[in-house]
Amino acid sequence: MSSQDQVLVSFLSHLALSLDGAVLGLSLAYVTVRTIRKFTFTSAALRKITHAPSVSVSDLRSLLDDTASEDNGNNSGDDRIVIVRGTVDAKSAVDGSWKAFWPGVLISRESGDKGVVLQRTQTCIYSELKGLFGWTSDLRAVFMKSRRQRESTSLRKVPFVLIDVGRQSNTEYVVVNMDGSTHPLPLTTVYHKLQPINPPYTLLQAFFGGQYPVGLLDEEKILPLGKDISAVGLCSLRNGIAEIKSCEDLPYFLSDLSKNQMVVDLSFKTRVLFWSGIVLGSMSVGIIGYAVVRNWNRWKQWKQRRQLQQQRQTVIEVDSQIDDGDIENVPDGQLCVICLMRRRRSVFIPCGHLVCCQGCTISVESEVAPKCPVCRQEVRDSVRIFES
């Protein structure tokens, strides 16, 4: 680990442990809240997928017809969550028109594979050489390189449908509506190539460092024709044609998993999130409680020190106001019984004893349970005596 990394780690640790760990406790509390929200979302999605029917494309229409008849009696919509397992095919292949002779599919430029979704990613890999006069003082950084990446992604889609798995008949199909979907897609990588770049290297880069590209990574991923996938979403009949669209409350839309695999995956995630929330919540409560108690005690100690400083300041001010006659030529019977230096000036109330000077009287009254030094009766107040 370089010196700069050590400084960064030290700064973050001091920041997390500041205020006796209050910052760390609040950070854990924030993570706990996010974990609980994610647990709520995942558990709700698990219930929906568990109760959602899993059907084939040919059985979907009968299910939607039954749902529509029930909903008509209840005056409600006919959208419902359904899991449909089918094979990917282009929509132009089932239109039944002249478009079937011109299939609307996407073709990979590099591999020639056909699909309905084509994603191309170009990643430019940069290398930064930290030279001798760079920001780090470690001389080994001249030979160390930190890689950075900059990528650009383009995504193309064409309308497609799901047909029955293993059937050649296109009479039954369901249209996949991709509008507004942000769910990950089960894409297949068909092209992957890293092309090295040999940039010119100068003497100035050796001394001052610099950033330059070292490689270009080209990738193409497609959703190929004939792939078996599961579509999870809101399904309904639109002009007599079954259509399925994504649901924001579900973590899946198009997936390679079956319903049972989705349930197992979500069940595992739910358990992990549940226990993670309990552990993180307990840690955050404990750390925040410890920080509150520690800072409360520190505040009380600071307040007590502040009061003592104010009392000392008051005594100093009183001492500065005491006449020299209170110290010099004082008979023994009129000396303060505490300091034995100054003249008795204050009378305690309610006992009425005139036994202390003004400074010692203030010290007695500043105690938690002030008592007269003679009769040990509780002192409520004092009155200073002036000689005319």
Side-chain angles (χ1 to χ4, degrees):
M1 182 181 295
S2 65
S3 59
Q4 293 293 332
D5 294 336
Q6 293 177 356
V7 171
L8 180 60
V9 171
S10 176
F11 170 74
L12 293 177
S13 62
H14 281 82
L15 178 63
L17 298 178
S18 59
L19 297 177
D20 293 315
V23 176
L24 178 60
L26 293 176
S27 302
L28 288 176
Y30 173 75
V31 176
T32 302
V33 172
R34 291 184 60 89
T35 302
I36 293 175
R37 292 182 59 184
K38 195 170 183 179
F39 165 75
T40 304
F41 172 80
T42 306
S43 58
L46 175 61
R47 290 193 298 269
K48 292 179 180 179
I49 291 181
T50 302
H51 294 91
S54 178
V55 297
S56 61
V57 176
S58 57
D59 297 333
L60 180 61
R61 179 173 294 275
S62 61
L63 176 65
L64 295 178
D65 291 338
D66 295 338
T67 303
S69 61
E70 294 176 0
D71 291 339
N72 288 333
N74 298 328
N75 295 326
S76 59
D78 55 355
D79 290 353
R80 63 175 301 178
I81 297 178
V82 177
I83 302 175
V84 182
R85 186 74 178 178
T87 302
V88 176
D89 199 359
K91 189 174 185 298
S92 59
V94 297
D95 279 341
S97 62
W98 61 270
K99 295 181 180 180
F101 299 97
W102 189 269
V105 297
L106 301 175
I107 301 176
S108 172
R109 187 177 64 183
E110 304 295 341
S111 65
D113 294 324
K114 297 180 179 180
V116 292
V117 177
L118 175 62
Q119 176 180 316
R120 185 177 183 185
T121 305
Q122 284 189 336
T123 304
C124 188
I125 303 176
Y126 284 80
S127 178
E128 182 180 5
L129 182 65
K130 303 184 182 72
L132 182 62
F133 300 103
W135 56 268
T136 179
S137 60
D138 192 358
L139 295 179
R140 291 178 301 174
V142 178
F143 308 100
M144 295 175 61
K145 300 177 181 180
S146 62
R147 289 180 175 269
R148 296 182 179 179
Q149 294 184 353
R150 296 179 183 176
E151 66 178 23
S152 60
T153 303
S154 62
L155 183 67
R156 297 172 58 194
K157 298 178 289 186
V158 296
F160 65 98
V161 297
L162 295 181
I163 61 176
D164 271 336
V165 179
R167 294 189 181 182
Q168 300 297 328
S169 175
N170 296 332
T171 57
E172 296 291 341
Y173 61 90
V174 54
V175 178
V176 179
N177 188 351
M178 297 284 293
D179 295 339
S181 174
T182 58
H183 295 78
L185 300 174
L187 302 181
T188 302
T189 302
V190 295
Y191 182 75
H192 181 94
K193 184 178 181 181
L194 177 62
Q195 300 175 355
I197 300 176
N198 297 321
Y201 187 71
T202 63
L203 182 63
L204 293 178
Q205 289 178 337
F207 284 95
F208 300 101
Q211 185 178 357
Y212 54 89
V214 295
L216 181 63
L217 178 62
D218 251 338
E219 283 186 309
E220 280 191 351
K221 297 181 180 181
I222 65 171
L223 182 59
L225 298 178
K227 183 175 182 178
D228 296 337
I229 62 173
S230 297
V232 186
L234 299 174
C235 197
S236 60
L237 290 175
R238 297 287 185 263
N239 299 322
I241 299 176
E243 180 183 271
I244 189 168
K245 60 183 179 180
S246 64
C247 180
E248 295 181 357
D249 297 334
L250 298 178
Y252 307 107
F253 177 39
L254 301 177
S255 175
D256 293 323
L257 305 177
S258 63
K259 176 181 177 179
N260 293 333
Q261 292 173 334
M262 293 180 190
V263 171
V264 171
D265 182 48
L266 290 178
S267 299
F268 175 75
K269 291 181 179 179
T270 302
R271 289 194 296 269
V272 171
L273 292 173
F274 175 76
W275 290 110
S276 299
I278 291 179
V279 172
L280 292 175
S282 302
M283 292 175 59
S284 64
V285 170
I287 294 175
I288 292 176
Y290 171 77
V292 169
V293 172
R294 288 278 296 178
N295 286 279
W296 174 257
N297 292 333
R298 286 185 176 181
W299 180 80
K300 289 195 299 184
Q301 293 174 1
W302 173 84
K303 187 177 180 180
Q304 291 175 357
R305 289 195 299 267
R306 184 69 179 273
Q307 291 177 351
L308 291 176
Q309 291 176 357
Q310 292 177 352
Q311 293 169 4
R312 293 193 188 99
Q313 185 65 27
T314 304
V315 171
I316 293 173
E317 292 176 357
V318 171
D319 290 343
S320 64
Q321 296 174 0
I322 295 177
D323 298 333
D324 294 337
D326 290 344
I327 299 178
E328 299 178 355
N329 301 325
V330 180
D332 293 340
Q334 296 184 8
L335 285 174
C336 174
V337 298
I338 296 179
C339 67
L340 299 175
M341 293 178 57
R342 300 184 181 91
R343 187 185 299 274
R344 302 175 182 182
R345 289 296 188 184
S346 298
V347 175
F348 290 118
I349 297 174
C351 66
H353 286 127
L354 177 62
V355 291
C356 293
C357 65
Q358 183 65 20
C360 293
T361 300
I362 295 176
S363 298
V364 171
E365 290 181 339
S366 63
E367 296 178 356
V368 179
K371 294 182 180 180
C372 175
V374 176
C375 65
R376 309 304 298 170
Q377 186 177 352
E378 184 180 356
V379 175
R380 294 199 298 266
D381 202 353
S382 66
V383 177
R384 184 172 182 181
I385 305 299
F386 296 93
E387 295 180 357
S388 59

